[in-house]
Amino acid sequence: MASPTREPAPNGGPIGREDSTLDRIGRMLMAASFAQPQGQQWFGDDAAVLGTPPEGSEILFCTDVAVEGVHGNFEFMSPQELGWRAASSTLSDIAAMGGSPWVMVASVACAKHASIDELMEGVVESAAAFSCPVVGGDVSEAATTMVSIAVIGHVPRGTAVTRSGAHAGDTVFVTGPLGGSAAGLAAFQRGEEQIESTLRNAYLRPVPLLAQGAAARECGISAMIDVSDGLSIDLHRLADASHVGFELTSVPVCSGATLDEALGGGEDFALVMTTSDPEGLRSGFEDQGLEPPISIGMITPEHTQRIILGESSSPMGWVHDV
Amino acid sequence: MASPTREPAPNGGPIGREDSTLDRIGRMLMAASFAQPQGQQWFGDDAAVLGTPPEGSEILFCTDVAVEGVHGNFEFMSPQELGWRAASSTLSDIAAMGGSPWVMVASVACAKHASIDELMEGVVESAAAFSCPVVGGDVSEAATTMVSIAVIGHVPRGTAVTRSGAHAGDTVFVTGPLGGSAAGLAAFQRGEEQIESTLRNAYLRPVPLLAQGAAARECGISAMIDVSDGLSIDLHRLADASHVGFELTSVPVCSGATLDEALGGGEDFALVMTTSDPEGLRSGFEDQGLEPPISIGMITPEHTQRIILGESSSPMGWVHDV
């Protein structure tokens, strides 16, 4: 948290803007009414002291970064929404393993034109909505605003759902229609004044499907991934990890979106699942009061066979130029 | 990891630059010969699956971000060194709790003029040097380069050393002379061609004092903090958290540094400790073959009494303007 490239703060002042910012953030966290369990020590020390995860569970760990101008543009997206997105996309990675979130930390690099309080408000809103307290963080000034979130989750030991377990003959499911986020962004970029709330929210307020991911794990599915970069590319990744092919016979497209947006738009944070027991998966979701997932195709044995709607498919979706 | 603000990758190409970057980073991690324990699943899925921390321990969790132009300038510091610094400063937070590192994740936002491979090389070097495998990450392009690290550590249950346990009458120790990092930076800024290696390394290659932090914990010290923003401001933070005052009678200054650099320069990552048993602390360090810490003053009962070398002290050090 130091920066010797700058002059020391003047002697005699208060303990400094950064400390008062951290104090404000600390109050924001308390107001979000996370209950710090006895014996734990969150926020305010060098590291958070957390006890142990639930008996019989094992730990999941992941990180995601949201960058101004890449993952969101302040022309269309508020700092709160960038903070929400960073936290929610990281939580979606926990959902995609079938896990439960436990705690998160946030590193926020904040440009002059953004407000760290607003960025953190978005992070804390997501943290509160999905029961994953913010227990620590770091702040820095920067030329570009960036929010990086790391989440510790947990899952009953040995039950984490990876990308690599799909088998030939498994049915492929997705939790819902796709392309909403890309269509929402496109509408903002066209300068539309009345953007349908489904598309607007899909882009600005993505929701990690934690209940669906856990329900799918309980149904004994074989593999899962979240659609962060596009159904096409993410399904290719699942197939690569599982050494299988796939044939998609339908692609549910979000109302107002195009097929290309559904296949390649990304950031929908839907979950793609494969299972040898499609009926069990549907009824497992229904038993928990969840909208049943949509069957979209099959896993095939030949690794190089990748077919979407009758055509051979190459990965389509967003990849960073790094 | 998605970005609908950009066009989808063209159909028909390979799975994309980001994926090949992640593959390269994966190979880099394997080459660092971290041994993935049976049953764990690192890197390459939505989240890492980690098992559980050692029996009888509890979890520590922290994050730090290093930002180009704030924590380091590519005029003086290579991308590897920025990566090293991000990882090492986060590990220093684990050291300051008396903990042992377990695993880390890295979020890297990379500008065109930096190389993600070089940034990650520095992260992996630090990870390997301090036995804290990189088990996951995220990458993004960005206008400014930033490396955010989150570390899970562990400590025997109930023994984490916080900032808040100092008592009046405790002796204050520091692990070594201060100001080297600030003096090293100043030498770079003056354009010196022959910078003494101690100062150069203090700035470019800070070392988290994990063995010292753990030894201090085993000696039953009352409070600890790492000097990330400057001895003065960090000691004020410890005193604030402990509701005590302090009187420093000596400040060990790194050869080639000034007293101001030692008090306010920051980024030394020395550990400041307080204890009611100074002899026990010294002999505990010696028993482990560690350089004994240096006594620099006392903790005093009056919360408002903050004295350094005979003068009343206000916090001096780096605070971010956020």
Side-chain angles (χ1 to χ4, degrees):
Chain A
M1 287 233 272
S3 173
T5 60
R6 301 286 296 264
E7 294 301 305
N11 257 354
I15 204 162
R17 251 182 105 167
E18 176 186 345
D19 290 79
S20 68
T21 300
L22 293 177
D23 280 352
R24 281 202 317 281
I25 293 173
R27 284 196 298 274
M28 196 190 294
L29 295 176
M30 281 191 289
S33 36
F34 294 126
Q36 178 173 304
Q38 182 97 31
Q40 297 195 17
Q41 159 80 44
W42 297 353
F43 225 82
D45 219 296
D46 295 290
V49 184
L50 293 176
T52 48
E55 190 73 30
S57 69
E58 61 187 345
I59 284 178
L60 305 174
F61 193 23
C62 56
T63 186
D64 246 19
V65 59
V67 179
E68 171 196 355
V70 179
H71 300 84
N73 192 318
F74 287 147
E75 210 182 323
F76 315 131
M77 182 180 272
S78 70
Q80 282 101 328
E81 286 154 349
L82 192 73
W84 169 282
R85 154 166 309 228
S88 298
S89 70
T90 318
L91 290 167
S92 179
D93 286 328
I94 297 292
M97 306 299 290
S100 304
W102 187 27
V103 288
M104 69 170 74
V105 290
S107 271
V108 182
C110 186
K112 287 275 177 245
H113 52 268
S115 146
I116 196 156
D117 291 58
E118 289 172 13
L119 290 161
M120 277 306 299
E121 265 170 42
V123 172
V124 170
E125 275 174 41
S126 172
F130 307 111
S131 303
C132 184
V134 182
V135 297
D138 191 15
V139 296
S140 173
E141 64 220 79
T144 309
T145 298
M146 181 205 76
V147 182
S148 171
I149 302 288
V151 172
I152 305 180
H154 55 80
V155 68
R157 194 170 297 141
T159 69
V161 185
T162 65
R163 301 173 177 183
S164 56
H167 294 289
D170 285 355
T171 307
V172 183
F173 284 87
V174 67
T175 46
L178 299 160
S181 177
L185 171 65
F188 277 110
Q189 287 175 328
R190 284 191 302 267
E192 282 184 23
E193 290 189 1
Q194 297 276 324
I195 300 175
E196 217 189 311
S197 68
T198 324
L199 303 187
R200 190 188 170 83
N201 287 336
Y203 175 59
L204 295 177
R205 290 273 169 179
V207 169
L209 301 179
L210 288 155
Q212 288 83 345
R217 168 181 54 73
E218 286 167 16
C219 293
I221 61 166
S222 54
M224 183 154 56
I225 191 170
D226 69 330
V227 180
S228 55
D229 294 341
L231 174 64
S232 166
I233 196 167
D234 287 319
L235 191 53
H236 275 276
R237 287 173 176 147
L238 183 148
D240 286 346
S242 297
H243 306 289
V244 294
F246 58 78
E247 181 167 2
L248 294 197
T249 46
S250 72
V251 174
V253 180
C254 188
S255 165
T258 66
L259 178 62
D260 269 5
E261 285 165 342
L263 284 173
E267 301 239 305
D268 285 310
F269 302 110
L271 296 174
V272 174
M273 308 151 178
T274 64
T275 180
S276 61
D277 178 14
E279 273 320 307
L281 182 62
R282 283 194 197 94
S283 64
F285 269 55
E286 276 167 10
D287 290 349
Q288 297 200 25
L290 297 167
E291 190 78 24
I294 304 161
S295 156
I296 58 174
M298 299 296 289
I299 294 294
T300 57
E302 183 51 57
H303 177 255
T304 55
Q305 189 188 38
R306 309 285 174 94
I307 296 171
I308 296 181
L309 305 180
E311 289 185 21
S312 180
S313 151
S314 290
M316 177 179 171
W318 172 251
V319 289
H320 283 281
D321 185 16
V322 288
Chain B
M1 291 234 268
S3 171
T5 60
R6 301 285 299 263
E7 294 302 305
N11 255 354
I15 203 161
R17 253 182 104 166
E18 176 187 346
D19 290 79
S20 67
T21 300
L22 294 177
D23 280 351
R24 279 200 319 280
I25 292 172
R27 283 195 298 275
M28 196 189 296
L29 295 175
M30 281 190 288
S33 38
F34 295 127
Q36 178 173 305
Q38 182 95 34
Q40 297 195 17
Q41 158 81 41
W42 296 355
F43 224 84
D45 218 297
D46 295 291
V49 184
L50 294 175
T52 47
E55 190 71 30
S57 68
E58 62 187 346
I59 283 178
L60 305 174
F61 193 22
C62 56
T63 188
D64 246 18
V65 59
V67 179
E68 171 196 355
V70 180
H71 299 83
N73 192 319
F74 287 147
E75 210 182 322
F76 315 130
M77 181 180 273
S78 69
Q80 282 101 328
E81 286 155 351
L82 192 74
W84 168 282
R85 153 167 310 226
S88 298
S89 69
T90 318
L91 289 167
S92 180
D93 287 328
I94 297 292
M97 305 300 288
S100 304
W102 187 28
V103 289
M104 69 169 73
V105 289
S107 272
V108 182
C110 186
K112 288 274 177 246
H113 52 269
S115 145
I116 196 155
D117 292 61
E118 288 171 14
L119 290 160
M120 278 306 299
E121 267 170 40
V123 171
V124 171
E125 276 173 42
S126 172
F130 306 112
S131 303
C132 184
V134 182
V135 299
D138 191 15
V139 296
S140 173
E141 65 220 80
T144 310
T145 297
M146 282 165 281
V147 181
S148 171
I149 302 288
V151 172
I152 306 180
H154 55 81
V155 68
R157 194 170 297 141
T159 68
V161 185
T162 65
R163 302 175 177 182
S164 56
H167 295 290
D170 285 354
T171 307
V172 183
F173 283 88
V174 67
T175 45
L178 299 160
S181 177
L185 172 65
F188 277 111
Q189 287 174 326
R190 284 191 303 268
E192 283 183 23
E193 290 190 1
Q194 298 276 322
I195 300 174
E196 218 189 311
S197 67
T198 324
L199 303 187
R200 190 187 168 84
N201 288 336
Y203 176 58
L204 296 178
R205 290 271 169 179
V207 169
L209 301 180
L210 289 155
Q212 288 85 343
R217 169 182 52 75
E218 286 166 16
C219 293
I221 60 166
S222 54
M224 182 155 56
I225 191 170
D226 68 330
V227 180
S228 54
D229 295 342
L231 174 65
S232 167
I233 196 167
D234 287 317
L235 191 54
H236 275 275
R237 287 173 176 148
L238 184 149
D240 287 346
S242 296
H243 306 289
V244 294
F246 59 79
E247 181 167 2
L248 294 197
T249 47
S250 71
V251 174
V253 180
C254 189
S255 165
T258 67
L259 178 61
D260 270 6
E261 285 166 341
L263 283 172
E267 300 240 304
D268 285 310
F269 302 111
L271 297 174
V272 174
M273 309 151 178
T274 64
T275 181
S276 60
D277 179 13
E279 274 319 307
L281 182 61
R282 283 195 198 94
S283 65
F285 268 56
E286 276 166 9
D287 290 349
Q288 298 201 23
L290 298 166
E291 191 78 23
I294 303 161
S295 156
I296 57 174
M298 299 296 289
I299 295 295
T300 58
E302 183 50 61
H303 177 254
T304 56
Q305 190 190 35
R306 309 282 173 97
I307 295 171
I308 296 182
L309 306 180
E311 291 186 20
S312 180
S313 152
S314 291
M316 176 179 173
W318 173 251
V319 288
H320 284 281
D321 184 17
V322 288

